[in-house]
Amino acid sequence: DPYISAHATIGDFMAHRSGLPFAAGDDLEDLGFDRTQIIWRLREIPLDAFRASYHYANFGTTIAAQAVAAAAHMPWETLAAQALFEPLGMHSTSARHADYLARPDRAALHAFEEGKFQPLYDRKPDAQAPAGGVSSSVLDMAHWLEFLLTGNGADGKPLASRTALLTALSPHSFSHEPGTLSDRPSFYGYGFNVSINAGGRTTFGHSGAFLLGAGTAFQVLPSADLGIVVLTNGAPVGVPESINASFMDIVQYGKPLRDWYAGYHAQMAGFDKPEGDLAGATPPANPEPADALETYTGHYENPYFGPADITLKGNKLMLTIGPAKEHLALSHWDGETFAVMPRNENAPTGSRSSVKFSVRDHEVGSFTVDYLNKNGLGTWRTDRSNQSR
């Protein structure tokens, strides 16, 4: 949208009101695209209303950070270290995954699979580092919370003005509009959830997680000059959020007012729901036959996801997509429909998606991958079909 290109501000992306849909770009990250490639490809995504919609997107925050880094003429990771981590004395903090891996004392990520936490994966979040790729310690994060409350660096001198902090921590968009007259709305600032709690006090915070094995949250109560941060190396099940909420209840009311874990755990139960239209489905008992497998092989193009190749290995079709060259085995499902079983940050265990081919006179014109088609961009076409359009 040329109007948005000309008028969108850093704040619009920090407040998730640019019109980008929820989780925009996460699918590209899963396939191995880097930050620059993802931001460039986001122009293909249909947008929602500019400044009149709210959709959380890690790559919205990342776009804002890249704009700041460009103005400073240095990589964002270097800027974050020089402008924030070092002045706050955050010596165990980095926005580079390689630094995390190089630390001799680090927590291994634990995904929640088969009913238990297991250290199965490494999650390299460098592409979205400004939104979810910073590794740190709880003591370093305590310095950061102190900064949010005072604006001061480790030397006690001002690092950010009160005006700048107030702007970042004030509402700029609705993250949850009230459904009834008695509901309290929730807001989003420039990177922070902002709300009014049951006692009428302003509070701000955030939580973040990777299904592959991390769950973190912090909450600040400015009127009490108090903050809490909880870092876990386990997939999101509601633990850090419930600890924070219980702590804030104890501070204000002397005891937890409800079973916070039950509430947050139920809220997050859907995060590990398998992706794809065939997840949990029973294969047809008498499927229609497919064409000869060689019919489906070839090179295909997609303006958002890039090229894809389908090859035949033995008697099995393989789909290869993305810079990471992810190989997905295609299993025949019914007629011109095949199934793939992806596994990544946004496709939990048990995910199964259709790959539907458009075939005419034994020639494939295109195929659509359901789990990658949330924004209507999951169709790859042959060079011939692109020309015929």
Side-chain angles (χ1 to χ4, degrees), residues 117 138 145 203 206-207 215-221 226-235 237-252 255-265 267-268:
F117 289 101
V138 72
L145 288 179
T203 181
H206 217 292
S207 60
T216 67
F218 77 93
Q219 193 170 346
V220 176
L221 191 66
L226 188 70
I228 180 173
V229 58
V230 178
L231 309 179
T232 82
N233 62 325
V237 294
V239 169
E241 295 83 1
S242 60
I243 291 174
N244 288 353
S246 297
F247 174 77
M248 287 299 180
D249 275 358
I250 292 169
V251 168
Q252 296 173 86
K255 64 179 182 180
L257 298 185
R258 58 172 290 183
D259 184 349
W260 286 105
Y261 177 73
Y264 279 112
H265 184 68
Q267 240 184 7
M268 297 184 179

Side-chain angles (χ1 to χ4, degrees), residues 184 196-201 253 257:
R184 293 194 306 276
I196 308 298
N197 68 18
R201 296 179 182 231
Y253 312 112
L257 298 185

Side-chain angles (χ1 to χ4, degrees), residues 188-199:
Y188 205 87
Y190 289 155
F192 300 88
N193 291 302
V194 185
S195 60
I196 308 298
N197 68 18

Side-chain angles (χ1 to χ4, degrees), residues 114-360:
E114 298 178 359
K116 59 184 178 180
F117 289 101
Q118 303 183 60
L120 301 175
Y121 309 101
D122 178 45
R123 172 71 161 90
K124 184 180 180 181
D126 284 348
Q128 57 150 294
V134 175
S135 58
S136 189
S137 70
V138 72
L139 293 179
D140 274 15
M141 291 299 295
H143 292 315
W144 179 74
L145 288 179
E146 191 173 11
F147 160 69
L148 293 181
L149 288 166
T150 67
N152 296 335
D155 58 4
K157 297 178 181 179
L159 184 61
S161 70
R162 292 299 183 104
T163 300
L165 284 173
L166 178 61
T167 301
L169 299 169
S170 295
H172 294 286
S173 57
F174 276 107
S175 57
H176 173 71
E177 297 191 30
T180 68
L181 293 176
S182 61
D183 286 351
R184 293 194 306 276
S186 298
F187 307 96
Y188 205 87
Y190 289 155
F192 300 88
N193 291 302
V194 185
S195 60
I196 308 298
N197 68 18
R201 296 179 182 231
T202 300
T203 181
F204 62 87
H206 217 292
S207 60
F210 291 141
L211 283 178
L212 298 185
T216 67
F218 77 93
Q219 193 170 346
V220 176
L221 191 66
S223 60
D225 199 30
L226 188 70
I228 180 173
V229 58
V230 178
L231 309 179
T232 82
N233 62 325
V237 294
V239 169
E241 295 83 1
S242 60
I243 291 174
N244 288 353
S246 297
F247 174 77
M248 287 299 180
D249 275 358
I250 292 169
V251 168
Q252 296 173 86
Y253 312 112
K255 64 179 182 180
L257 298 185
R258 58 172 290 183
D259 184 349
W260 286 105
Y261 177 73
Y264 279 112
H265 184 68
Q267 240 184 7
M268 297 184 179
F271 286 174
D272 58 1
K273 179 182 177 182
E275 284 289 319
D277 54 338
L278 300 182
T282 302
N286 299 295
E288 292 293 323
D291 258 87
L293 294 183
E294 290 81 1
T295 302
Y296 306 98
T297 62
H299 182 77
Y300 300 80
E301 289 288 343
N302 179 302
Y304 179 67
F305 288 108
D309 290 289
I310 295 181
T311 55
L312 186 59
K313 293 189 176 181
N315 63 347
K316 198 76 170 178
L317 289 172
M318 300 295 297
L319 169 63
T320 304
I321 50 177
K325 301 298 181 184
E326 181 174 5
H327 301 293
L328 295 171
L330 291 166
S331 302
H332 183 245
W333 187 265
D334 188 23
E336 309 296 356
T337 299
F338 289 73
V340 294
M341 298 187 71
R343 178 66 182 100
N344 53 53
E345 173 63 34
N346 295 289
T349 299
S351 295
R352 183 164 58 183
S353 165
S354 67
V355 178
K356 295 181 179 179
F357 289 88
S358 175
V359 182
R360 184 175 181 180

